[in-house]
């Protein structure tokens, strides 16, 4: 069975600073997809970043980047130059392969202070 | 605009009643999902469907039922057998090529 663990229920960061959210996962597959989703107070889920397991290069999207460690089954999200609008709940998710369900972690609530 | 539409946004139900939450998509996606969100629990999978007329149970399917008669629609029925149905429900469809999920705005169900 696949599992996703987010060990930080809450994190905080000051504006313009950098924060890293942790995620570990477990799967017996070698090919899979990893995602970070953001859920702001509006509760609309938005994709932040996506990583394919066969790609060694870490994905980046503007201020968001990941540290993907396949052997350690770790997939952390780094947010640089944090902004007030980054305040949200962040979910890590895993999908083994096409045709299987996408599974989420329990989420990390990020607070951003000015 | 393409997207996922969930209705109603808010729903109140008396104990013992079945209710159906609607989910419609116009993104031409084959796969659709239903998740339940509770505080501190993240998103838990109720049911998912990879194709019309086929669906699979997720981790917490007991007390729920679904149908997938059309590609665009994946309604969820919360039955009276669901012991604790008060929650926020999210529907999503999935882009097969990227794996990305596209979510609706959610439905908040409260049992009185």
């Amino acid at each position: 069975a696949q599992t996703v663990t987010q060990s930080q229920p809450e994190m905080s960061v000051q504006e313009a600073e950098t924060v890293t959210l942790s995620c570990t996962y477990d799967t017996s597959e070698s090919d899979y997809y990893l995602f970070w989703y953001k859920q702001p107070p509006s509760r609309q889920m938005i994709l932040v970043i996506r990583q394919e397991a066969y790609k060694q290069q870490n994905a980046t999207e503007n201020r968001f980047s990941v540290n993907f460690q396949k052997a350690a089954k770790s997939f952390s999200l780094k947010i640089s130059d944090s902004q007030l609008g980054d305040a949200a709940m962040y979910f890590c998710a895993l999908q083994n392969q096409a045709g299987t369900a996408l599974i989420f972690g329990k989420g990390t609530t990020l607070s951003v202070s000015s | 605009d393409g997207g996922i539409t969930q209705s109603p946004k808010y729903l109140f139900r008396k104990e013992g009643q079945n209710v159906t939450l609607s989910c419609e998509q116009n993104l031409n996606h084959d796969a659709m999902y239903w998740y339940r969100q509770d505080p501190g629990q993240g998103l838990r999978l109720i049911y998912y469907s990879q194709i019309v007329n086929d669906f699979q149970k997720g981790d917490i399917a007991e007390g729920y039922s679904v149908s997938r008669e059309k590609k665009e629609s994946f309604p969820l029925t919360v039955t009276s057998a669901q012991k604790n149905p008060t929650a926020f429900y999210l529907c999503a469809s999935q882009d097969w090529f990227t794996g990305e999920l596209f979510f609706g705005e959610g439905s908040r169900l409260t049992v009185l």
Side-chain angles (χ1 to χ4, degrees), chain A residues 18-86:
Chain A
T18 296
V19 65
T20 299
L21 308 184
S22 301
C23 173
T24 58
Y25 60 92
D26 191 24
T27 177
S28 57
E29 302 289 329
S30 59
D31 192 15
Y32 47 88
Y33 303 95
L34 293 160
F35 306 84
W36 278 98
Y37 282 87
K38 171 185 178 180
Q39 187 181 44
S42 68
R43 308 203 79 167
Q44 178 67 58
M45 295 280 284
I46 304 164
L47 177 68
V48 175
I49 202 163
R50 170 181 174 271
Q51 175 82 41
E52 293 161 309
Y54 69 87
K55 289 186 177 178
Q56 293 186 337
Q57 187 172 7
N58 289 327
T60 62
E61 286 289 341
N62 301 315
R63 297 181 297 107
F64 299 87
S65 61
V66 298
N67 183 4
F68 173 47
Q69 302 289 329
K70 191 172 183 178
K73 294 184 179 176
S74 171
F75 184 61
S76 60
L77 175 69
K78 184 171 82 171
I79 306 175
S80 304
D81 186 25
S82 296
Q83 301 174 359
L84 293 176
D86 294 333

Side-chain angles (χ1 to χ4, degrees), chain B residues 69-85:
Chain B
E69 297 176 2
K70 298 186 302 181
K71 188 176 188 177
E72 300 80 15
S73 178
F74 192 41
L76 173 74
T77 296
V78 185
T79 74
S80 57
Q82 170 49 234
K83 295 179 181 178
N84 185 21

